Amino acid sequence: ANAEINGRVGDMGTDGRLMPGSDGSVYHVNLLEKLLIPLLSKLSNLVPDGGIWLNTQRPEWNDANNALVGNGVSVVTLCYLRRYVAFLEDLLPGAEGDELAVSTEVLAWFRGIQSALERAERLLGEGPMADRERKALMDELGTAFSDYRGDVYDGGFTGRTALAVKDVTDLCRTARAFIDHGIRANRRDDGLYNSYVLLEFCEDASQVGLESLPVMLEGQVAVLSSGLLSSEESSEVLDTLYSSPLYREDQASFLLYPEKQLPAFMDKNVVASERASGVSLVRDLLERGEGSVIVRDASGVIRFHPDFRNVDDLAAALDRLAECEEWAASVARDRGRVLELFEDVFNHSAYTGRSGAMYSYEGLGCVYWHMVTKLLVAAEEVVFRSEEDGSPEGLRDELARSYRRVRSGLGFEKTPAEYGAFPTDPYSHTPPHGGAKQPGMTGQVKEEILTRLGELGVRVEDGTVCFRPVLLDAGEFLDEPTVFRFFDVHGDAASIELEAGSMAFTFCQVPVVYRRTEGDASVRIVWGDGTEHAAEGDSLSKELSGVLFERRGRIARVLVGVPERALRRD
């Protein structure tokens, strides 16, 4: 297959790596099919009441957890899948009477996922799904994906078949029922939410249970971002974070994972005497001094053989031991108990990667600044949703204060001594034993651009630009006149004079001037020739927004009247 692909690359360039159609040219599909593929692939790996199964080498957002591949399940991805499903539900209803052609193999995959979820929907009750039913649904979903993959690998795409758009929206609604049930099932007793959980297969793999891992910051960010929680529930999560082991008081911010003390080297690989004596094979090996599996060291401590790296090494040693007639029967009898004892000692199934084994680089005790700013984005979205759903004013104010509190822990709000570095520079993380480390253009920069635009109230809704600040602090407006300097759409240096009681920023490289007003919100456009155009309310029309987006210099500036009552005075 690789040789065939390389041959196509030689003939047609890098497009040769793409899936070919029956005529040998690149196979093209429509937007609906492109939107379906990620939805179907994630639903194929759905673990009811858990999340999305990390069953290949995909460490998700946080690669410090990359050892979770195999038996790990991501609640984080489940939360973001909810956003994706909600996006599709919003996007598609206008075309519900339509049919669109998708690849025949994709349609078969779609039907397999759809029928599996519809049959199992009756199992979504108040409590968790039974372990056997969970595994049965996982098998159905996985088989649908496996059949699709096998068909495409073996024969490519064979044609297209009509799919009703309404069927897609129906699948989204069914999927959201499983997703919402799964997110709710991952609420912890402490009021926070799981980030990842572990699969526990029974011996014959006919049942799958779930085991929680310790609390992590990612899960709280994801659930706040999911859109599932009410404003009251979101406020509770934000409040609980500050009383949780994730809060690091000296930085007024949050750890990725709770601080813990790792065992010293000699405290690892220790088998308790009572556990060793409880397994006949282990007891007999120790008494006879047969050290290929388990030994007693010079201090009398019982340990598995020091050369074992993992359970495969132990299994191989047991196989060799079983070849000796003297031990064959004992190995056959106690093999499972020895393997179980090994897992109890090392707990390999719960090993997450460097997140649980190092004190730097996104490890233990670290504030990871990108994740903190992802929390800031999620908290801001919660504030916006509370405004949109008409939550009580007191609750909206409480959520705004929570947003401000998260923001106050960021570097630019600190002194160099507190931050341990130049406060306005982006850094990767702050470990427990020092200041901010690893400077660079981190993801924190992107998130803070998003949140700053949100604070300023700049939104694009249905192609129109709105100026609707609900998080803007009254203290940001000027006490005295000054000059605002910026670079215009042509890249030339420019400046405008600002009055007291105003503030300015650029959007699409056009200066936007906010002025406090006692009245209602207002927007005026100042054209390049000096003439003005008044818009209605707090938004530009689609036509005016389009002119702004074009960045051709036709608009000289935008003047916005911001009602005093909308400003924060926390």
Side-chain angles (χ1 to χ4, degrees), residues 287-556:
E287 289 176 356
R288 297 283 294 277
E290 210 298 335
S292 64
V293 172
I294 202 157
V295 296
R296 195 185 299 273
D297 70 12
S299 302
V301 178
I302 301 170
R303 304 179 189 275
F304 281 98
H305 195 286
D307 288 347
F308 292 167
R309 295 164 300 174
N310 51 42
V311 71
D312 291 339
D313 289 345
L314 170 59
L318 290 171
D319 290 341
R320 290 191 295 272
L321 190 65
E323 293 173 1
C324 178
E325 185 177 348
E326 179 183 2
W327 297 103
S330 296
V331 171
R333 181 191 65 226
D334 289 337
R335 181 187 185 92
R337 297 187 66 192
V338 175
L339 295 174
E340 182 181 334
L341 179 60
F342 185 81
E343 172 59 24
D344 289 345
V345 168
F346 290 100
N347 197 20
H348 282 149
S349 63
Y351 178 61
T352 58
R354 72 176 187 271
S355 67
M358 296 176 66
Y359 287 101
S360 291
Y361 310 109
E362 305 167 38
L364 296 169
C366 282
V367 178
Y368 189 64
W369 294 109
H370 185 189
M371 184 52 73
V372 175
T373 51
K374 284 170 75 73
L375 174 63
L376 191 69
V377 173
E380 187 175 68
E381 289 180 329
V382 167
V383 172
F384 293 161
R385 284 198 294 269
S386 72
E387 295 283 338
E388 291 163 4
D389 65 21
S391 295
E393 184 177 357
L395 179 57
R396 298 200 307 270
D397 289 343
E398 184 60 37
L399 288 168
R401 280 191 290 271
S402 294
Y403 171 83
R404 290 281 182 192
R405 192 176 179 187
V406 174
R407 185 177 181 265
S408 69
L410 294 173
F412 74 93
E413 297 260 4
K414 296 177 177 174
T415 66
E418 291 170 324
Y419 189 51
F422 195 70
T424 55
D425 279 352
Y427 279 75
S428 164
H429 65 279
T430 297
H433 51 271
K437 307 294 183 186
Q438 286 185 278
M441 191 59 70
T442 69
Q444 175 185 355
V445 177
K446 175 199 69 175
E447 312 297 354
E448 290 201 63
I449 290 171
L450 294 175
T451 53
R452 183 55 179 161
L453 282 172
E455 290 172 10
L456 293 168
V458 180
R459 307 187 207 179
V460 179
E461 298 175 352
D462 194 26
T464 67
V465 179
C466 309
F467 302 97
R468 202 171 296 149
V470 296
L471 282 170
L472 192 57
D473 195 298
E476 291 205 45
F477 287 79
L478 294 168
D479 293 327
E480 299 177 355
T482 191
V483 175
F484 176 52
R485 294 179 173 85
F486 62 97
F487 290 92
D488 65 19
V489 294
H490 306 297
D492 297 327
S495 64
I496 56 175
E497 293 185 359
L498 296 179
E499 303 171 353
S502 67
M503 64 175 293
F505 57 94
T506 62
F507 183 66
C508 296
Q509 289 179 267
V510 172
V512 178
V513 180
Y514 278 7
R515 293 171 178 163
R516 290 187 301 207
T517 177
E518 295 295 335
D520 295 330
S522 63
V523 180
R524 283 185 295 142
I525 292 290
V526 179
W527 296 102
D529 61 6
T531 60
E532 296 188 9
H533 175 89
E536 291 187 15
D538 57 12
S539 305
L540 299 179
S541 66
K542 282 190 177 182
E543 182 182 3
L544 289 174
S545 298
V547 174
L548 187 63
F549 295 146
E550 287 174 354
R551 301 177 186 238
R552 293 185 179 177
R554 293 173 59 194
I555 297 177

Side-chain angles (χ1 to χ4, degrees), residues 139-182:
D139 284 346
E140 277 197 78
L141 296 171
T143 298
F145 199 1
S146 183
D147 289 346
Y148 161 77
R149 201 165 44 235
D151 290 343
V152 174
Y153 285 176
D154 291 344
F157 291 106
T158 59
R160 291 178 171 82
T161 308
L163 170 63
V165 174
K166 186 179 184 304
D167 286 354
V168 180
T169 56
D170 287 345
L171 174 64
C172 287
R173 282 188 281 270
T174 303
R176 190 143 66 90
F178 282 88
I179 293 168
D180 289 358
H181 191 270

Side-chain angles (χ1 to χ4, degrees), residues 34-272:
K34 291 182 179 183
L35 292 170
L36 276 178
I37 296 295
L39 174 64
L40 295 176
S41 64
K42 293 302 181 187
L43 291 177
S44 297
N45 293 300
L46 176 70
V47 178
D49 300 329
I52 305 301
W53 189 6
L54 306 174
N55 52 22
T56 60
Q57 293 184 10
R58 294 175 292 183
E60 297 297 292
W61 177 88
N62 186 350
D63 61 1
N65 282 321
N66 57 14
L68 281 170
V69 171
N71 65 335
V73 178
S74 175
V75 184
V76 172
T77 306
L78 190 70
C79 291
Y80 290 116
L81 182 61
R82 189 187 193 279
R83 287 186 69 125
Y84 188 71
V85 168
F87 164 74
L88 292 179
E89 285 186 88
D90 230 21
L91 178 72
L92 296 174
E96 279 201 346
D98 296 339
E99 289 186 343
L100 292 170
V102 299
S103 299
T104 302
E105 289 72 20
V106 171
L107 181 59
W109 182 18
F110 177 95
R111 296 299 184 205
I113 299 297
Q114 181 183 40
S115 61
L117 292 179
E118 287 178 351
R119 283 194 299 272
E121 192 171 9
R122 62 180 176 79
L123 303 173
L124 295 178
E126 290 295 320
M129 191 177 290
D131 290 355
R132 187 175 297 276
E133 292 168 335
R134 178 180 296 113
K135 178 57 165 56
L137 179 54
M138 288 171 62
D139 284 346
E140 277 197 78
L141 296 171
T143 298
F145 199 1
S146 183
D147 289 346
Y148 161 77
R149 201 165 44 235
D151 290 343
V152 174
Y153 285 176
D154 291 344
F157 291 106
T158 59
R160 291 178 171 82
T161 308
L163 170 63
V165 174
K166 186 179 184 304
D167 286 354
V168 180
T169 56
D170 287 345
L171 174 64
C172 287
R173 282 188 281 270
T174 303
R176 190 143 66 90
F178 282 88
I179 293 168
D180 289 358
H181 191 270
I183 295 173
R184 294 289 187 195
N186 277 285
R187 187 178 187 275
R188 303 162 56 89
D189 292 340
D190 59 9
L192 299 178
Y193 286 77
N194 288 322
S195 300
Y196 301 94
V197 296
L198 299 175
L199 294 177
E200 291 186 327
F201 288 90
C202 69
E203 191 169 348
D204 66 358
S206 64
Q207 301 181 50
V208 172
L210 298 168
E211 178 188 345
S212 295
L213 285 168
V215 67
M216 301 179 187
L217 183 58
E218 291 169 77
Q220 319 327 308
V221 175
V223 77
L224 289 169
S225 183
S226 71
L228 173 64
L229 303 188
S230 66
S231 295
E232 291 86 352
E233 291 171 317
S234 297
S235 183
E236 288 172 10
V237 169
L238 288 165
D239 286 346
T240 303
L241 271 171
Y242 283 94
S243 58
S244 78
L246 292 172
Y247 182 58
R248 184 169 156 184
E249 191 168 358
D250 68 314
Q251 286 292 325
S253 198
F254 300 99
L255 305 171
L256 271 176
Y257 336 93
E259 182 76 274
K260 70 177 180 180
Q261 186 66 43
L262 295 177
F265 182 78
M266 295 303 291
D267 294 332
K268 298 179 180 180
N269 188 17
V270 174
V271 183

